[in-house]
Amino acid sequence: MDTTEFRKRGKEMVDYVADYFEQLDKRQVYPDVEPGYLRPLIPDSAPQDPESFEDVLKDVEKIIMPGVTHWHSPYFFAYFPTASSFPALFADILSGGIGCIGFSWAASPACTELETVMLDWLGKMINLPEEFLAGKDGEGGGVIQGSASEATLVTLLAARTRTIRRVQSENPELTEADIMSKLVAYASDQAHSSVERAGLIGGVKIKNIPSDDKFAVRGSALKKVLHEDRAAGLIPFFFCATLGTTPCCSFDRLLELGPICNKENIWMHIDAAYAGSAFICPEFRHLLNGVEFADSFNFNPHKWLLVNFDCSAMWVKTRSDLTNAFKLDPLYLQHCHQESGLVTDYRGSNKLNEALLKSINDARKIHLVPCHLREKFVLRFAICSRTVESVHIQFAWKHISKLATELLKAQDKQQQ
């Protein structure tokens, strides 16, 4: 498919999606198929020759649609809302077209900075305390996760690391294994199963706190369990409060729970995946009172805010708690705008290679990253784009050779 056909087929796909939405109420909301229905309808292996775009769309309608649960149907009342909108679909096209991978600032500055600024916007919309915003010099900030389950796991692991380091500083004789065996996390007996799963992945005990007659966790219930566990020699370190539980949208009592967690040095994470979008409305913002006691907060714009899955927004008061827990710096991910520089002592030709890399990337005609092969600082040259041709490789090699020659000449002059 070239750009000419992409334009043509793109218009056809937009028409197909628009027709789908216009006629969605006429489709059966839940499919009438049995497990395994699809396999007999498609080939056992991928076809050797391509099919026409028209035939592919016919297969979508004939084979795929009969097995689709239509989450956006006006007759769909299961699970939870999943958002979608035409502007969000356009954004998906643009994002997919640009196709950058924003795992660090250097990997794509606009990607990283736009995420940070947009999450500040969203945090202000729900009136999060200032500590949760990145701003220009803030210590907190937001980051997009794939789901609330990921947010719970990430914060639990960060809390685990923070607690282990604190306990080891107070008791140097204790090993990490000693401490891990005593760590215990808590959540409501109404909390999502992902909290328990996070405990399994994190290798820590998880205990359910009994909820009251309104299915909410109260401060007295948490305090009772904490007292029992500390008496048994355990180390409470994490509590996941839920605002909008999955079964009945109940709300744990943050104003009772928060001060207890702060006093007991327990990380309080707030899972507002389901109900969090409502806090934008002033009449519902009071339900978030007590968030000021939390270490982290999360909700899912992909449920109510017309943003396509997956967009789960998470904020932390101290982002270094996250970066310190997960920081691994292979050389190819390091760059001159991160918080810390390179730590290895480079010598001889390594310094030349570092200087060459800087010269290449400063020129901005091509882009490379380095790696370490044992003691050597090596420039990696990876063929990345599907549109690369030999002319681009030759250009890159001539450019690198020219800069390397200039660098060696400059070094010779310094040595004379």
Side-chain angles (χ1 to χ4, degrees), residues 205-267:
K205 301 178 185 69
I206 287 277
K207 290 194 173 184
N208 290 330
I209 307 298
S211 54
D212 64 9
D213 58 351
K214 293 185 177 179
F215 306 101
V217 169
R218 306 295 299 266
S220 56
L222 177 62
K223 192 179 293 185
K224 178 177 182 295
V225 176
L226 292 179
H227 177 75
E228 294 171 352
D229 285 351
R230 288 205 185 275
L234 297 176
I235 304 175
F237 80 103
F238 180 84
F239 174 69
C240 180
T242 305
L243 298 183
T245 59
T246 300
C248 65
C249 203
S250 57
F251 286 69
D252 292 339
R253 302 298 182 90
L254 297 186
L255 290 171
E256 298 177 12
L257 298 163
I260 296 171
C261 289
N262 287 182
K263 181 182 177 183
E264 298 283 346
N265 214 348
I266 294 171
W267 181 304

Side-chain angles (χ1 to χ4, degrees), residues 32 34 113 120 139 146 289 293 311 320:
D32 186 17
E34 297 295 327
E113 295 195 12
D120 272 1
E139 295 183 2
N289 290 346
F293 298 107
C311 179
S320 61

Side-chain angles (χ1 to χ4, degrees), residues 134-209:
K136 290 184 178 179
D137 302 303
E139 295 183 2
V143 63
I144 295 174
Q145 302 292 317
S147 65
S149 302
E150 289 178 30
T152 301
L153 174 60
V154 166
T155 53
L156 181 140
L157 295 176
R160 186 188 71 178
T161 298
R162 188 177 76 174
T163 302
I164 288 173
R165 291 175 179 173
R166 175 179 58 80
V167 174
Q168 281 188 320
S169 68
E170 297 168 354
N171 306 272
E173 74 281 1
L174 292 179
T175 66
E176 183 172 322
D178 293 333
I179 300 169
M180 281 280 292
S181 67
K182 298 179 180 180
L183 291 179
V184 59
Y186 306 90
S188 167
D189 58 11
Q190 301 298 307
H192 194 270
S193 59
S194 61
V195 183
E196 184 176 358
R197 193 177 302 117
L200 290 173
I201 296 171
V204 297
K205 301 178 185 69
I206 287 277
K207 290 194 173 184
N208 290 330
I209 307 298

Side-chain angles (χ1 to χ4, degrees), residues 17 20 44 64 108 129 162 186 203 219 248 264 292 341 368 383 388 391 405:
V17 172
Y20 171 78
D44 287 337
I64 304 302
S108 189
R162 188 177 76 174
Y186 306 90
C248 65
E264 298 283 346
E292 60 271 19
L368 302 180
I383 309 300
V388 167
V391 64
T405 300

Side-chain angles (χ1 to χ4, degrees), residues 330-374:
L331 186 61
Y332 54 84
L333 296 186
Q334 295 178 4
H335 55 90
C336 59
H337 294 286
Q338 65 183 37
E339 294 176 355
S340 60
L342 306 180
V343 295
T344 304
D345 181 13
Y346 302 129
R347 295 170 181 166
S349 62
N350 280 355
K351 288 188 177 180
L352 277 176
N353 280 349
E354 288 181 58
L356 175 58
L357 178 68
K358 185 178 188 305
S359 180
I360 291 169
N361 287 337
D362 284 352
R364 287 176 167 75
K365 292 184 178 180
I366 65 173
H367 186 53
L368 302 180
V369 295
C371 69
H372 262 137
L373 292 177
R374 297 198 171 95

